[in-house]
Amino acid sequence: MSEVKISAQLRNTFGKGSARQARRDAMVPGVIYGHGNEPKHVNVEGHALALALRTPNVLLSLDIAGEGTELVIPKAVQKHPLKRSISHVDFLIVKKGEKVTVEVAVVTEGELAAGNNMLETLLNTITVEAEATHIPTEVTVSIAGLEAGASIHAKDLVLPTGTTLAVDGETAVLQVVAPQAEEPAAEGATEGEEA
């Protein structure tokens, strides 16, 4: 995965007032932390950040005015509850070659075996450990031909080279269930019951 370059600037004012001002200036307040460094408080260019965050676990190169660049991944994204605009981001510093633990989407392909069976998704994402510069965007699993009673566990997922599971391999991810038989409707009160 290639890194996305975004401009940022250090901020030295804090609190709701300065955060609101940053948002009025089309910036998003954030904090950069990790590797034992003192946290850096920054304002990041909002539109570019919103576009970049469409890719899960995106690798960002923050070009901080007067400070150089910092290679980071978004660790926590806070959004406005109504507007759904980004209100704050926590960034984790990463180094090339370093392993990070992230959540990756599980995507299915193929069709279940004939019948009215249903696919039950137990986990939409799976926790994996991957190199910071090669984080997969998703893990694809084939459900082709699976019948009722079949299940797919974390250990059954085919992960990209250099990526390993960060959960128990026996963790169930998907299962195929038979449709529930409908119970016949009661025709009325049975004999001996009072109405």
Side-chain angles (χ1 to χ4, degrees):
M1 172 189 308
S2 61
E3 57 203 64
V4 177
K5 294 185 185 302
I6 299 180
S7 60
Q9 58 196 20
L10 284 179
R11 63 184 164 99
N12 49 20
T13 57
F14 306 99
K16 290 183 180 179
S18 65
R20 286 188 186 119
Q21 183 60 49
R23 290 184 204 106
R24 280 193 293 272
D25 295 339
M27 304 293 274
V28 174
V31 177
I32 302 171
Y33 64 93
H35 287 277
N37 298 341
E38 283 291 317
K40 287 184 189 175
H41 298 271
V42 293
N43 286 331
V44 181
E45 203 275 297
H47 182 69
L49 180 63
L51 292 176
L53 291 179
R54 290 182 179 175
T55 303
N57 301 313
V58 65
L59 184 64
L60 301 172
S61 176
L62 295 184
D63 184 11
I64 305 168
E67 291 284 317
T69 60
E70 217 43 278
L71 196 60
V72 299
I73 58 172
K75 210 53 184 163
V77 178
Q78 296 172 14
K79 293 190 175 185
H80 188 281
L82 299 176
K83 299 178 190 173
R84 304 304 300 157
S85 57
I86 302 168
S87 57
H88 189 273
V89 181
D90 288 349
F91 298 104
L92 179 65
I93 298 172
V94 294
K95 305 285 183 201
K96 291 185 190 274
E98 174 185 23
K99 294 266 190 176
V100 293
T101 303
V102 292
E103 296 280 322
V104 178
V106 176
V107 178
T108 58
E109 65 180 8
E111 298 291 326
L112 296 175
N116 292 328
N117 298 329
M118 297 178 295
L119 180 68
E120 184 177 10
T121 302
L122 303 172
L123 294 177
N124 291 316
T125 61
I126 193 78
T127 307
V128 298
E129 187 176 64
E131 189 179 324
T133 54
H134 294 90
I135 299 172
T137 54
E138 61 188 32
V139 174
T140 305
V141 60
S142 174
I143 59 167
L146 293 181
E147 298 185 358
S151 60
I152 295 177
H153 296 87
K155 66 181 180 186
D156 302 325
L157 300 175
V158 179
L159 301 175
T161 304
T163 303
T164 57
L165 284 176
V167 295
D168 182 0
E170 296 300 322
T171 303
V173 178
L174 305 165
Q175 65 184 13
V176 181
V177 294
Q180 298 292 324
E182 293 183 21
E183 294 183 15
E187 297 265 338
T190 58
E191 288 184 39
E193 283 187 0
E194 295 181 12

